Amino acid sequence: MKVAIVAERVGGQVKETVGIENLISVPETTGSELADNLKTHLLRYPVDLLEHRKIEKVELVGKEKQVTTSVGEKLTTPALIIATGASWRKLNVPGETEYIGRGVAFCSHCDGPFYVGKHVAVVGGGNSGIEAAIDLASICSRVTVFEFMDELKADQVLQEKLRSLSNVEVFVSSQTTEVIGNGDKLTALRVKDRKTEEERVIELDGVFVQIGLTANSGVFRDLVETNRPGEIVIDAFCRTNVPGIYAAGDVSTVPYKQIIISMGEGAKAALSAFDDRVRGNI
Ligand SMILES: Cc1cc2nc3c(=O)[nH]c(=O)nc-3n(C[C@H](O)[C@H](O)[C@H](O)COP(=O)(O)OP(=O)(O)OC[C@H]3O[C@@H](n4cnc5c(N)ncnc54)[C@H](O)[C@@H]3O)c2cc1C
């Protein structure tokens, strides 16, 4: 089979990660090292790598899929694997972007181990925020939760578990307005009480922003079925509702958004495409 990859950049979210310690068989690596290794491995195969462009449009022409890129190329293919990932929703406050990976984190399973014994905040009181706070409370000295609304949105059972933990405190009606650092790493958060308008600065070692993840599926939403948060709906073979279009990793409905899951899903989608092609289904 002839294979081409269209990629805005090789590495994706991994490039935003400083330390990775949960990729089975690799005890410790960094985001840039892993991304470089992926690229080196990829280039050992006869794959056309079309980097630094985005897919802007996909149209169905009979059974074929016609892909238009941001530099005007048109690629026609019987099988398309969408692996455009997701973007964490950001707070969009001063200091946030500057301290990503240096105190500002988005994935508690991934980055939690870097904060053992430390004081962290979780911004967001939905299910993912409260789950993150519960996980972090078992390894951090103190966890402070800030929720923008007047009450937590997480399921009752999670809220009860959270309240049973002695090292967790929760503030509702709280708006995070600034990430403060010393140039090297985050040192504090500025938070405003939305009722009293009073602002205070809370010193901490890290903040986990848990206000949602958005699937990068916008370009494909008119083409394939997506769920309410915009994830592309797939079956156990990574097939979408359109024959010959597959989705893998964070852009899809696969549970657990992690590197090892995405790698496995990418392999699965490729095997499904191969299988469907050799069986004459696409
Ligand atoms: C700060 C941070 C730390 C993390 N730490 C860990 C960790 O330690 N361990 C772990 O297991 N997981 C971690 N994760 C999660 C992990 O990075 C993701 O689950 C994984 O990268 C998802 O891989 P993916 O290939 O599905 O998507 P992505 O990594 O999001 O890659 C998608 C790629 O598609 C490109 N793209 C998007 N739209 C288009 C388009 N229209 N055309 C062309 N290209 C497009 C993007 O630019 C990107 O390069 C972390 C995530 C973040 C943000």
Side-chain angles (χ1 to χ4, degrees):
M1 280 187 170
K2 205 166 181 309
V3 180
I5 295 187
V6 179
E8 208 179 351
R9 59 173 186 173
V10 171
Q13 290 171 65
V14 165
K15 284 269 194 188
E16 292 173 32
T17 316
V18 180
I20 298 164
E21 296 184 4
N22 65 344
L23 180 59
I24 293 164
S25 85
V26 183
E28 213 174 296
T29 185
T30 64
S32 53
E33 189 180 17
L34 178 61
D36 289 348
N37 285 341
L38 276 170
K39 193 165 175 177
T40 305
H41 195 176
L42 172 76
L43 294 177
R44 285 195 182 184
Y45 297 89
V47 171
D48 294 329
L49 177 58
L50 309 174
E51 244 185 308
H52 311 302
R53 61 263 264 174
K54 290 188 85 162
I55 289 186
E56 290 199 326
K57 198 163 69 175
V58 183
E59 290 162 296
L60 295 180
V61 184
K63 278 183 154 188
E64 301 284 297
K65 289 90 202 164
Q66 196 175 74
V67 174
T68 307
T69 74
S70 49
V71 297
E73 297 144 326
K74 282 197 190 296
L75 313 166
T76 305
T77 172
L80 175 68
I81 298 173
I82 303 169
T84 44
S87 314
W88 297 92
R89 275 189 59 212
K90 298 201 169 85
L91 294 165
N92 289 322
V93 298
E96 181 185 34
T97 305
E98 196 182 337
Y99 290 106
I100 287 179
R102 298 188 293 152
V104 175
F106 296 88
C107 174
S108 60
H109 295 136
C110 319
D111 292 345
F114 299 109
Y115 296 91
V116 173
K118 303 206 164 153
H119 178 194
V120 298
V122 172
V123 177
N127 280 342
S128 54
I130 300 311
E131 276 177 16
I134 293 168
D135 283 353
L136 291 165
S138 64
I139 54 169
C140 297
S141 60
R142 199 165 145 210
V143 179
T144 308
V145 177
F146 296 108
E147 163 59 42
F148 183 84
M149 304 303 281
D150 296 344
E151 57 181 8
L152 298 181
K153 292 282 164 225
D155 295 344
Q156 208 52 41
V157 57
L158 289 173
Q159 293 195 34
E160 277 162 22
K161 170 80 189 159
L162 188 79
R163 292 211 169 89
S164 73
L165 302 170
S166 59
N167 59 341
V168 177
E169 55 190 345
V170 176
F171 295 94
V172 293
S173 312
S174 298
Q175 181 179 2
T176 307
T177 54
E178 188 183 353
V179 171
I180 301 168
N182 59 10
D184 183 34
K185 59 184 174 65
L186 169 150
T187 54
L189 277 189
R190 188 184 304 279
V191 179
K192 185 170 85 179
D193 184 315
R194 292 175 55 243
K195 287 198 170 138
T196 62
E197 296 281 307
E198 191 192 322
E199 278 202 339
R200 55 195 185 111
V201 171
I202 297 114
E203 288 186 9
L204 5 99
D205 302 297
V207 56
F208 288 81
V209 180
Q210 294 287 319
I211 55 172
L213 198 69
T214 316
N216 298 326
S217 62
V219 179
F220 314 100
R221 279 188 201 171
D222 294 336
L223 189 70
V224 290
E225 186 190 347
T226 51
N227 65 7
R228 228 169 123 236
E231 296 164 338
I232 298 176
V233 178
I234 53 166
D235 68 9
F237 291 83
C238 295
R239 294 185 182 113
T240 68
N241 61 320
V242 179
I245 303 190
Y246 311 81
D250 280 16
V251 76
S252 76
T253 45
V254 72
Y256 310 118
K257 311 302 191 200
Q258 295 216 321
I259 297 166
I260 194 152
I261 308 279
S262 292
M263 286 179 165
E265 290 287 300
K268 204 207 280 177
L271 290 168
S272 296
F274 179 79
D275 219 30
D276 288 345
R277 186 69 174 159
V278 294
R279 287 170 197 272
N281 295 335
I282 56 169

